[in-house]
Amino acid sequence: MNQKILKLENLLRFHTVFRQLHSLGQRRMLAQWNHVFSSAYPVWTAQLCIRPWQTDPLIGVVLSQYRLLVTKKEEGSQKSQLFSTKSKKEVEVWIGMTIEELARAMKKDVDYVYEALMNTAIDIDSLEAHSRLDEVWIKEVVKKAGMKLKWSKLKQDKVRENKDAVRRPQADPALLTPRSPVVTIMGHVDHGKTTLLDKLRKTQVAAMEAGGITQHIGAFLVSLPSGEKITFLDTPGHAAFSAMRARGAQVTDIVVLVVAADDGVMKQTVESIQHAKDAQVPVILAINKCDKAEAEPEKVKKELLAYDVVCEDYGGDVQAVHISALTGDNLMALAEATIALAEMLELKADPTGPVEGTVIESFTDKGRGPVTTAIIQRGTLRKGSILVAGKSWAKVRLMFDENGKTIHEACPSMPVGIVGWRDLPSAGDEILEVESEPRARAVVDWRKYEREQEKNKEDLKIIEEKRKEHQEAQQKAREKYGNMHWKERSFLKYQEKKEQKHLQSKEKEERDSHVLPIIIKGDVDGSVEAIVNIMDTYDASHECKLELVHFGVGDVSENDVNLAETFRGVIYGFNVNAGNVIQKSAAKKGVKIKLHKIIYHLIEDLQEELSSRLPCTVEEHPIGEASILATFSVTEGKKKVPVAGCRVQKGQLEKQKKFKLIRNGGIIWKGSLTSLKHHKDDISVIKTGMDCGLSLSEEKIEFKVGDEIVCYEEKEVPAKTSWDPGF
């Protein structure tokens, strides 16, 4: 800085000297011209061409120094302009790039991008490193960084090739061969569906089920004495498993609707009829429990007319078979009706080519890993086949039937257990066979990529909505503070911020006490889905918010306990176990683990837990009642106090309890007494039939003859959630 000032002073000094020398030179030139005019012409011409300062060495030195300084200054400014032009770095960007990608392209860290977006309309709190930015914000960040923008058409227009697997076109009719029918047993809970299957396949599934209730879907192949085979899907009749019954109807050929003759058409019966109609599947009516004295089969048939299920007796096409699953009566007639209907349907399938099927159920086995129960619909499944289902794939290591016996191949309509999945597919997923493992990985990668793209679109939409909300809020704030002085504006903002912090802390306390985070673990995928579906019916969020933190298949793990500890939640297990180590860890961390084997009990437990989070309600319990017979006033000091003369009609009046004054059926006052007297004595209790005088804590209240005084006490009663899951 000192050097620059010195140069400037030198420059000014040289400039002054130059002006002085220049004027001196002019005077010398005039003197020379006077001399020239008196001499010859050629001499004047030669002298005129010579510059005056060239003849003076001092003037030449000064001018050379001046030119040097000016030249250096011009070169410095040109260099600085050249440097500023070169420093603008070019950044290649594209539409929808994430914060992390933008930081990498600019060779900056993520925090730099966040800082550049501060004091803009975008909500920084909602952004993550993987959040995608709109075009306007990309431009804003690059501009603030002092860099040059270059849009990349390659990344913007790049489209990934679709590598999904799809079902084959319909097979040539000449290749089709007859197949066994897939029959779904549907109906209301406890109407005897599982008992019916027990008799058909001579097993004791019902005895193994907790509480006699089928907890998840099962697929079984039943061989009849005639040599015919039928694949039965046993779907739960409980209300919680509506989605599972819907899946059963989608993969089935015939629905056997079981209705108890002594109970009639119930809620789940109607749902089952609707599922069959939606899937366009024919129905056979099995009227069960006909061995009971109170059985009314004809009444059941008439009730079903209201739901467009018309039996053959009433001119319809629905076969009705009267059975008793318990005694085995008429079961063969039901089987024959099923086979007859299957023959009419002419069920056929293509047993060649890649396999196609549907996941009926999925679960994790400790020794085998992820396992699925599936129905094969096309092709023949063999060991070593490469399968894709949802976002999972498998190389078949083992296949087994409903009895756990190893089988080597599974044809169309066969139920089969499959071992070899890399991840657990979801019940209802479509199974497709592919040619190789790389192809299977490519399909799964594509499906994950497709889901990610959908999620990114949803995220961008949410970000845009939040940006608009933020802009609107800023606009309102500008309008609010626009005409204020800066001191007044700053004070008001400080007050609002302080109040907001207080409200946030208060909301957090209320949220912690009025929120129930839960973790669901189940034995199979369908059971977990059923429980989650029940939670979707929760409609009491105004009382206590129900948050599903995590759900999955398998036993309760240490990760579940850690997650529950973090969210202060409760773990609910359905048909799963929690080891001693896990339970000790949970007890140490204050985490509740609740295990159930019957879904009724799990939901009831959940209702109780929700109720425990609600504030207690206060109920009034009457202790005594008295009627006012006379009114008068007494003088206490300088004021008159109104007094009521009463007679106790019921119970007793206790001075320490609460009272209310009732007139014409309406409550006009609530509070406590200041005095309670019998004759002239102060007492604490007045019993039935006794007279007393009393005065209230509120002196402005006027008594009237005929009013009632009620003595009561308040008791806190645990609240109950208003949520009704439907059973």
Side-chain angles (χ1 to χ4, degrees), residues 511-565:
R511 187 171 63 248
D512 291 343
S513 59
H514 292 86
V515 175
L516 176 59
I518 64 169
I519 294 169
I520 303 292
K521 295 302 289 286
D523 56 343
V524 292
D525 189 68
S527 298
V528 175
E529 182 189 13
I531 296 168
V532 172
N533 284 342
I534 293 175
M535 289 182 57
D536 287 341
T537 67
Y538 185 70
D539 55 359
S541 294
H542 58 285
E543 298 172 346
C544 180
K545 191 175 179 183
L546 186 62
E547 284 187 352
L548 181 60
V549 176
H550 171 69
F551 60 88
V553 176
D555 290 338
V556 179
S557 66
E558 186 66 34
N559 286 337
D560 298 326
V561 175
N562 292 336
L563 200 60
E565 182 191 18

Short mmCIF file of all heavy atoms in Angstrom, two decimals, residues 511-565:
data_model
loop_
_atom_site.label_atom_id
_atom_site.label_comp_id
_atom_site.label_asym_id
_atom_site.label_seq_id
_atom_site.Cartn_x
_atom_site.Cartn_y
_atom_site.Cartn_z
N ARG A 511 -46.75 -34.22 22.20
CA ARG A 511 -46.56 -35.25 21.18
C ARG A 511 -46.03 -36.54 21.78
O ARG A 511 -46.48 -37.63 21.45
CB ARG A 511 -45.62 -34.73 20.09
CG ARG A 511 -45.51 -35.67 18.90
CD ARG A 511 -44.76 -35.04 17.75
NE ARG A 511 -43.39 -34.73 18.09
CZ ARG A 511 -42.90 -33.51 18.21
NH1 ARG A 511 -43.67 -32.47 18.04
NH2 ARG A 511 -41.63 -33.30 18.51
N ASP A 512 -45.07 -36.41 22.69
CA ASP A 512 -44.50 -37.60 23.33
C ASP A 512 -45.54 -38.37 24.12
O ASP A 512 -45.50 -39.60 24.20
CB ASP A 512 -43.33 -37.20 24.24
CG ASP A 512 -42.13 -36.71 23.44
OD1 ASP A 512 -42.09 -36.99 22.23
OD2 ASP A 512 -41.25 -36.05 24.01
N SER A 513 -46.46 -37.65 24.77
CA SER A 513 -47.46 -38.32 25.60
C SER A 513 -48.69 -38.76 24.80
O SER A 513 -49.46 -39.59 25.27
CB SER A 513 -47.90 -37.39 26.73
OG SER A 513 -48.45 -36.20 26.20
N HIS A 514 -48.90 -38.19 23.60
CA HIS A 514 -50.07 -38.53 22.80
C HIS A 514 -49.70 -39.22 21.50
O HIS A 514 -50.42 -39.12 20.51
CB HIS A 514 -50.89 -37.27 22.50
CG HIS A 514 -51.54 -36.68 23.70
ND1 HIS A 514 -50.90 -35.80 24.54
CD2 HIS A 514 -52.77 -36.87 24.24
CE1 HIS A 514 -51.70 -35.45 25.52
NE2 HIS A 514 -52.84 -36.09 25.37
N VAL A 515 -48.58 -39.93 21.50
CA VAL A 515 -48.16 -40.69 20.33
C VAL A 515 -47.74 -42.08 20.77
O VAL A 515 -47.05 -42.23 21.78
CB VAL A 515 -46.97 -39.99 19.60
CG1 VAL A 515 -46.46 -40.86 18.46
CG2 VAL A 515 -47.40 -38.64 19.06
N LEU A 516 -48.20 -43.09 20.04
CA LEU A 516 -47.79 -44.47 20.32
C LEU A 516 -47.06 -45.02 19.11
O LEU A 516 -47.68 -45.44 18.14
CB LEU A 516 -49.01 -45.34 20.66
CG LEU A 516 -48.73 -46.83 20.87
CD1 LEU A 516 -47.73 -47.03 22.01
CD2 LEU A 516 -50.00 -47.61 21.13
N PRO A 517 -45.71 -45.02 19.13
CA PRO A 517 -44.95 -45.65 18.04
C PRO A 517 -44.92 -47.17 18.28
O PRO A 517 -44.68 -47.62 19.39
CB PRO A 517 -43.54 -45.04 18.18
CG PRO A 517 -43.67 -43.97 19.23
CD PRO A 517 -44.82 -44.36 20.08
N ILE A 518 -45.18 -47.95 17.24
CA ILE A 518 -45.16 -49.41 17.39
C ILE A 518 -44.33 -50.06 16.29
O ILE A 518 -44.17 -49.52 15.20
CB ILE A 518 -46.58 -50.01 17.41
CG1 ILE A 518 -47.30 -49.79 16.07
CG2 ILE A 518 -47.41 -49.46 18.54
CD1 ILE A 518 -48.58 -50.58 15.95
N ILE A 519 -43.83 -51.24 16.62
CA ILE A 519 -43.07 -52.08 15.69
C ILE A 519 -43.80 -53.42 15.61
O ILE A 519 -44.10 -54.02 16.64
CB ILE A 519 -41.63 -52.28 16.16
CG1 ILE A 519 -40.88 -50.93 16.12
CG2 ILE A 519 -40.90 -53.31 15.32
CD1 ILE A 519 -39.53 -50.96 16.80
N ILE A 520 -44.11 -53.87 14.40
CA ILE A 520 -44.85 -55.12 14.19
C ILE A 520 -43.91 -56.18 13.63
O ILE A 520 -43.23 -55.95 12.62
CB ILE A 520 -46.02 -54.91 13.21
CG1 ILE A 520 -46.97 -53.83 13.71
CG2 ILE A 520 -46.76 -56.22 12.98
CD1 ILE A 520 -47.73 -54.17 14.94
N LYS A 521 -43.86 -57.33 14.27
CA LYS A 521 -43.11 -58.48 13.75
C LYS A 521 -44.07 -59.68 13.68
O LYS A 521 -44.78 -59.97 14.65
CB LYS A 521 -41.92 -58.83 14.65
CG LYS A 521 -40.85 -57.76 14.72
CD LYS A 521 -40.26 -57.43 13.34
CE LYS A 521 -39.40 -58.52 12.77
NZ LYS A 521 -38.10 -58.65 13.39
N GLY A 522 -44.12 -60.35 12.54
CA GLY A 522 -45.02 -61.48 12.35
C GLY A 522 -44.31 -62.69 11.79
O GLY A 522 -43.17 -62.60 11.31
N ASP A 523 -44.99 -63.83 11.84
CA ASP A 523 -44.39 -65.07 11.37
C ASP A 523 -44.33 -65.14 9.85
O ASP A 523 -43.38 -65.68 9.28
CB ASP A 523 -45.15 -66.28 11.93
CG ASP A 523 -46.63 -66.24 11.59
OD1 ASP A 523 -47.13 -65.16 11.22
OD2 ASP A 523 -47.30 -67.29 11.70
N VAL A 524 -45.36 -64.63 9.20
CA VAL A 524 -45.40 -64.65 7.73
C VAL A 524 -45.83 -63.28 7.22
O VAL A 524 -46.39 -62.47 7.96
CB VAL A 524 -46.37 -65.74 7.20
CG1 VAL A 524 -45.86 -67.12 7.50
CG2 VAL A 524 -47.76 -65.56 7.76
N ASP A 525 -45.58 -63.07 5.94
CA ASP A 525 -45.84 -61.77 5.32
C ASP A 525 -47.32 -61.42 5.37
O ASP A 525 -47.69 -60.27 5.62
CB ASP A 525 -45.35 -61.80 3.86
CG ASP A 525 -45.37 -60.44 3.21
OD1 ASP A 525 -44.57 -59.59 3.62
OD2 ASP A 525 -46.20 -60.23 2.32
N GLY A 526 -48.19 -62.40 5.13
CA GLY A 526 -49.62 -62.15 5.13
C GLY A 526 -50.16 -61.71 6.47
O GLY A 526 -51.04 -60.87 6.56
N SER A 527 -49.62 -62.31 7.55
CA SER A 527 -50.07 -61.93 8.89
C SER A 527 -49.71 -60.48 9.19
O SER A 527 -50.51 -59.72 9.73
CB SER A 527 -49.42 -62.84 9.94
OG SER A 527 -49.79 -64.18 9.74
N VAL A 528 -48.47 -60.11 8.82
CA VAL A 528 -48.03 -58.72 9.05
C VAL A 528 -48.90 -57.76 8.24
O VAL A 528 -49.33 -56.71 8.74
CB VAL A 528 -46.54 -58.56 8.66
CG1 VAL A 528 -46.12 -57.10 8.77
CG2 VAL A 528 -45.67 -59.43 9.54
N GLU A 529 -49.19 -58.13 7.00
CA GLU A 529 -50.02 -57.28 6.15
C GLU A 529 -51.41 -57.11 6.75
O GLU A 529 -51.99 -56.01 6.75
CB GLU A 529 -50.14 -57.89 4.75
CG GLU A 529 -50.96 -57.03 3.80
CD GLU A 529 -51.27 -57.71 2.49
OE1 GLU A 529 -51.07 -58.94 2.39
OE2 GLU A 529 -51.75 -57.03 1.58
N ALA A 530 -51.95 -58.20 7.31
CA ALA A 530 -53.28 -58.13 7.92
C ALA A 530 -53.30 -57.17 9.10
O ALA A 530 -54.23 -56.37 9.25
CB ALA A 530 -53.71 -59.52 8.36
N ILE A 531 -52.27 -57.23 9.94
CA ILE A 531 -52.19 -56.34 11.11
C ILE A 531 -52.05 -54.89 10.65
O ILE A 531 -52.68 -53.99 11.20
CB ILE A 531 -51.03 -56.75 12.03
CG1 ILE A 531 -51.28 -58.15 12.60
CG2 ILE A 531 -50.87 -55.77 13.17
CD1 ILE A 531 -50.08 -58.77 13.28
N VAL A 532 -51.22 -54.68 9.64
CA VAL A 532 -51.04 -53.32 9.11
C VAL A 532 -52.35 -52.79 8.53
O VAL A 532 -52.69 -51.61 8.69
CB VAL A 532 -49.91 -53.30 8.05
CG1 VAL A 532 -49.86 -51.94 7.36
CG2 VAL A 532 -48.57 -53.61 8.69
N ASN A 533 -53.10 -53.68 7.87
CA ASN A 533 -54.40 -53.27 7.31
C ASN A 533 -55.38 -52.88 8.42
O ASN A 533 -56.19 -51.96 8.25
CB ASN A 533 -54.99 -54.40 6.48
CG ASN A 533 -54.31 -54.54 5.13
OD1 ASN A 533 -53.64 -53.61 4.68
ND2 ASN A 533 -54.44 -55.68 4.50
N ILE A 534 -55.32 -53.59 9.56
CA ILE A 534 -56.17 -53.22 10.70
C ILE A 534 -55.78 -51.82 11.18
O ILE A 534 -56.64 -50.99 11.49
CB ILE A 534 -56.02 -54.23 11.85
CG1 ILE A 534 -56.59 -55.58 11.43
CG2 ILE A 534 -56.76 -53.75 13.09
CD1 ILE A 534 -56.38 -56.67 12.44
N MET A 535 -54.48 -51.56 11.23
CA MET A 535 -54.00 -50.25 11.68
C MET A 535 -54.46 -49.14 10.74
O MET A 535 -54.65 -47.99 11.16
CB MET A 535 -52.49 -50.25 11.80
CG MET A 535 -51.96 -51.07 12.95
SD MET A 535 -50.18 -50.98 13.06
CE MET A 535 -49.93 -49.23 13.22
N ASP A 536 -54.67 -49.47 9.47
CA ASP A 536 -55.15 -48.47 8.52
C ASP A 536 -56.56 -48.00 8.85
O ASP A 536 -56.99 -46.93 8.39
CB ASP A 536 -55.12 -49.03 7.09
CG ASP A 536 -53.70 -49.15 6.55
OD1 ASP A 536 -52.81 -48.48 7.11
OD2 ASP A 536 -53.48 -49.91 5.60
N THR A 537 -57.30 -48.81 9.63
CA THR A 537 -58.66 -48.42 10.02
C THR A 537 -58.65 -47.49 11.24
O THR A 537 -59.71 -47.05 11.67
CB THR A 537 -59.52 -49.66 10.36
OG1 THR A 537 -59.01 -50.28 11.56
CG2 THR A 537 -59.50 -50.66 9.22
N TYR A 538 -57.46 -47.21 11.78
CA TYR A 538 -57.38 -46.37 12.98
C TYR A 538 -57.87 -44.96 12.67
O TYR A 538 -57.36 -44.30 11.76
CB TYR A 538 -55.94 -46.34 13.50
CG TYR A 538 -55.78 -45.58 14.80
CD1 TYR A 538 -56.28 -46.10 15.98
CD2 TYR A 538 -55.14 -44.36 14.85
CE1 TYR A 538 -56.15 -45.42 17.18
CE2 TYR A 538 -55.00 -43.67 16.03
CZ TYR A 538 -55.51 -44.21 17.19
OH TYR A 538 -55.38 -43.53 18.38
N ASP A 539 -58.86 -44.51 13.42
CA ASP A 539 -59.49 -43.21 13.14
C ASP A 539 -59.57 -42.33 14.38
O ASP A 539 -60.43 -41.45 14.47
CB ASP A 539 -60.90 -43.42 12.57
CG ASP A 539 -61.77 -44.28 13.48
OD1 ASP A 539 -61.27 -44.72 14.54
OD2 ASP A 539 -62.94 -44.52 13.13
N ALA A 540 -58.68 -42.57 15.35
CA ALA A 540 -58.72 -41.79 16.60
C ALA A 540 -57.42 -41.02 16.81
O ALA A 540 -56.93 -40.89 17.94
CB ALA A 540 -58.99 -42.71 17.78
N SER A 541 -56.85 -40.48 15.73
CA SER A 541 -55.59 -39.73 15.83
C SER A 541 -55.75 -38.47 16.66
O SER A 541 -54.76 -37.95 17.19
CB SER A 541 -55.08 -39.37 14.43
OG SER A 541 -54.72 -40.53 13.72
N HIS A 542 -56.98 -37.96 16.76
CA HIS A 542 -57.22 -36.76 17.57
C HIS A 542 -57.04 -37.07 19.06
O HIS A 542 -56.78 -36.18 19.86
CB HIS A 542 -58.62 -36.22 17.31
CG HIS A 542 -59.71 -37.21 17.60
ND1 HIS A 542 -59.98 -38.26 16.76
CD2 HIS A 542 -60.59 -37.31 18.63
CE1 HIS A 542 -60.99 -38.97 17.26
NE2 HIS A 542 -61.37 -38.42 18.40
N GLU A 543 -57.16 -38.35 19.42
CA GLU A 543 -56.95 -38.75 20.82
C GLU A 543 -55.49 -39.12 21.06
O GLU A 543 -54.85 -38.61 21.98
CB GLU A 543 -57.83 -39.97 21.14
CG GLU A 543 -59.31 -39.68 21.01
CD GLU A 543 -60.15 -40.94 21.16
OE1 GLU A 543 -59.58 -42.06 21.10
OE2 GLU A 543 -61.36 -40.82 21.31
N CYS A 544 -54.98 -40.03 20.24
CA CYS A 544 -53.59 -40.48 20.35
C CYS A 544 -53.12 -40.91 18.97
O CYS A 544 -53.80 -41.71 18.31
CB CYS A 544 -53.48 -41.64 21.34
SG CYS A 544 -51.79 -42.26 21.54
N LYS A 545 -52.01 -40.38 18.53
CA LYS A 545 -51.50 -40.70 17.20
C LYS A 545 -50.81 -42.06 17.21
O LYS A 545 -49.99 -42.33 18.08
CB LYS A 545 -50.54 -39.62 16.73
CG LYS A 545 -50.17 -39.74 15.26
CD LYS A 545 -49.30 -38.57 14.82
CE LYS A 545 -48.91 -38.70 13.36
NZ LYS A 545 -48.01 -37.61 12.95
N LEU A 546 -51.16 -42.90 16.26
CA LEU A 546 -50.57 -44.24 16.14
C LEU A 546 -49.55 -44.21 15.01
O LEU A 546 -49.90 -43.96 13.85
CB LEU A 546 -51.67 -45.27 15.86
CG LEU A 546 -51.25 -46.74 15.84
CD1 LEU A 546 -50.71 -47.18 17.18
CD2 LEU A 546 -52.43 -47.62 15.44
N GLU A 547 -48.28 -44.45 15.33
CA GLU A 547 -47.20 -44.40 14.34
C GLU A 547 -46.60 -45.78 14.14
O GLU A 547 -46.14 -46.40 15.10
CB GLU A 547 -46.10 -43.43 14.79
CG GLU A 547 -46.47 -41.98 14.62
CD GLU A 547 -45.29 -41.06 14.92
OE1 GLU A 547 -44.25 -41.58 15.41
OE2 GLU A 547 -45.39 -39.85 14.70
N LEU A 548 -46.62 -46.26 12.90
CA LEU A 548 -45.98 -47.54 12.57
C LEU A 548 -44.53 -47.24 12.19
O LEU A 548 -44.24 -46.76 11.11
CB LEU A 548 -46.72 -48.23 11.42
CG LEU A 548 -46.18 -49.58 10.98
CD1 LEU A 548 -46.22 -50.59 12.12
CD2 LEU A 548 -46.95 -50.12 9.79
N VAL A 549 -43.62 -47.55 13.11
CA VAL A 549 -42.20 -47.24 12.91
C VAL A 549 -41.55 -48.25 11.96
O VAL A 549 -40.78 -47.91 11.08
CB VAL A 549 -41.45 -47.23 14.26
CG1 VAL A 549 -39.97 -47.02 14.06
CG2 VAL A 549 -42.02 -46.15 15.16
N HIS A 550 -41.89 -49.53 12.16
CA HIS A 550 -41.25 -50.59 11.37
C HIS A 550 -42.13 -51.83 11.41
O HIS A 550 -42.82 -52.08 12.41
CB HIS A 550 -39.85 -50.89 11.93
CG HIS A 550 -39.20 -52.10 11.32
ND1 HIS A 550 -38.76 -52.13 10.01
CD2 HIS A 550 -38.92 -53.33 11.83
CE1 HIS A 550 -38.24 -53.32 9.76
NE2 HIS A 550 -38.34 -54.06 10.84
N PHE A 551 -42.11 -52.62 10.35
CA PHE A 551 -42.77 -53.92 10.37
C PHE A 551 -41.95 -54.90 9.54
O PHE A 551 -41.24 -54.51 8.61
CB PHE A 551 -44.22 -53.84 9.86
CG PHE A 551 -44.35 -53.36 8.43
CD1 PHE A 551 -44.29 -54.24 7.37
CD2 PHE A 551 -44.54 -52.02 8.16
CE1 PHE A 551 -44.42 -53.81 6.07
CE2 PHE A 551 -44.66 -51.57 6.86
CZ PHE A 551 -44.59 -52.47 5.81
N GLY A 552 -42.03 -56.16 9.89
CA GLY A 552 -41.24 -57.15 9.18
C GLY A 552 -41.61 -58.56 9.61
O GLY A 552 -42.43 -58.79 10.50
N VAL A 553 -40.97 -59.53 8.95
CA VAL A 553 -41.21 -60.95 9.20
C VAL A 553 -40.03 -61.52 9.97
O VAL A 553 -38.87 -61.23 9.66
CB VAL A 553 -41.40 -61.70 7.87
CG1 VAL A 553 -41.56 -63.19 8.11
CG2 VAL A 553 -42.61 -61.16 7.13
N GLY A 554 -40.32 -62.34 10.99
CA GLY A 554 -39.25 -62.98 11.76
C GLY A 554 -39.34 -62.66 13.25
O GLY A 554 -40.15 -61.84 13.68
N ASP A 555 -38.49 -63.33 14.02
CA ASP A 555 -38.47 -63.12 15.47
C ASP A 555 -37.99 -61.71 15.82
O ASP A 555 -37.33 -61.04 15.01
CB ASP A 555 -37.56 -64.15 16.14
CG ASP A 555 -38.15 -65.56 16.08
OD1 ASP A 555 -39.38 -65.68 15.91
OD2 ASP A 555 -37.39 -66.53 16.19
N VAL A 556 -38.31 -61.30 17.04
CA VAL A 556 -37.87 -59.98 17.53
C VAL A 556 -36.35 -59.98 17.68
O VAL A 556 -35.78 -60.89 18.28
CB VAL A 556 -38.54 -59.65 18.88
CG1 VAL A 556 -38.06 -58.30 19.39
CG2 VAL A 556 -40.05 -59.66 18.75
N SER A 557 -35.70 -58.98 17.11
CA SER A 557 -34.23 -58.91 17.10
C SER A 557 -33.75 -57.73 17.95
O SER A 557 -34.53 -56.89 18.40
CB SER A 557 -33.72 -58.77 15.67
OG SER A 557 -34.12 -57.52 15.13
N GLU A 558 -32.44 -57.67 18.12
CA GLU A 558 -31.82 -56.58 18.87
C GLU A 558 -32.04 -55.24 18.17
O GLU A 558 -32.21 -54.20 18.82
CB GLU A 558 -30.32 -56.85 19.03
CG GLU A 558 -29.58 -55.85 19.93
CD GLU A 558 -30.04 -55.92 21.38
OE1 GLU A 558 -30.38 -57.03 21.85
OE2 GLU A 558 -30.06 -54.87 22.05
N ASN A 559 -32.04 -55.27 16.83
CA ASN A 559 -32.30 -54.03 16.06
C ASN A 559 -33.69 -53.49 16.34
O ASN A 559 -33.89 -52.27 16.43
CB ASN A 559 -32.15 -54.30 14.56
CG ASN A 559 -30.70 -54.46 14.15
OD1 ASN A 559 -29.80 -53.99 14.84
ND2 ASN A 559 -30.47 -55.14 13.05
N ASP A 560 -34.68 -54.40 16.48
CA ASP A 560 -36.04 -53.97 16.80
C ASP A 560 -36.08 -53.28 18.17
O ASP A 560 -36.75 -52.26 18.34
CB ASP A 560 -36.99 -55.17 16.81
CG ASP A 560 -37.08 -55.86 15.45
OD1 ASP A 560 -36.99 -55.14 14.44
OD2 ASP A 560 -37.22 -57.09 15.41
N VAL A 561 -35.34 -53.85 19.13
CA VAL A 561 -35.29 -53.27 20.48
C VAL A 561 -34.65 -51.89 20.45
O VAL A 561 -35.14 -50.94 21.07
CB VAL A 561 -34.53 -54.20 21.45
CG1 VAL A 561 -34.38 -53.54 22.82
CG2 VAL A 561 -35.26 -55.53 21.60
N ASN A 562 -33.55 -51.77 19.69
CA ASN A 562 -32.86 -50.46 19.59
C ASN A 562 -33.76 -49.42 18.93
O ASN A 562 -33.79 -48.25 19.33
CB ASN A 562 -31.57 -50.62 18.77
CG ASN A 562 -30.54 -51.45 19.51
OD1 ASN A 562 -30.55 -51.54 20.74
ND2 ASN A 562 -29.64 -52.08 18.77
N LEU A 563 -34.50 -49.86 17.91
CA LEU A 563 -35.42 -48.95 17.21
C LEU A 563 -36.54 -48.50 18.14
O LEU A 563 -36.91 -47.32 18.18
CB LEU A 563 -36.00 -49.66 15.99
CG LEU A 563 -36.59 -48.78 14.87
CD1 LEU A 563 -35.53 -47.83 14.32
CD2 LEU A 563 -37.13 -49.66 13.75
N ALA A 564 -37.08 -49.45 18.92
CA ALA A 564 -38.15 -49.12 19.86
C ALA A 564 -37.65 -48.17 20.95
O ALA A 564 -38.37 -47.26 21.38
CB ALA A 564 -38.69 -50.40 20.49
N GLU A 565 -36.39 -48.36 21.37
CA GLU A 565 -35.81 -47.46 22.38
C GLU A 565 -35.68 -46.04 21.83
O GLU A 565 -35.98 -45.06 22.52
CB GLU A 565 -34.45 -47.99 22.82
CG GLU A 565 -33.81 -47.13 23.92
CD GLU A 565 -32.35 -47.48 24.16
OE1 GLU A 565 -31.73 -48.13 23.30
OE2 GLU A 565 -31.83 -47.10 25.22
#
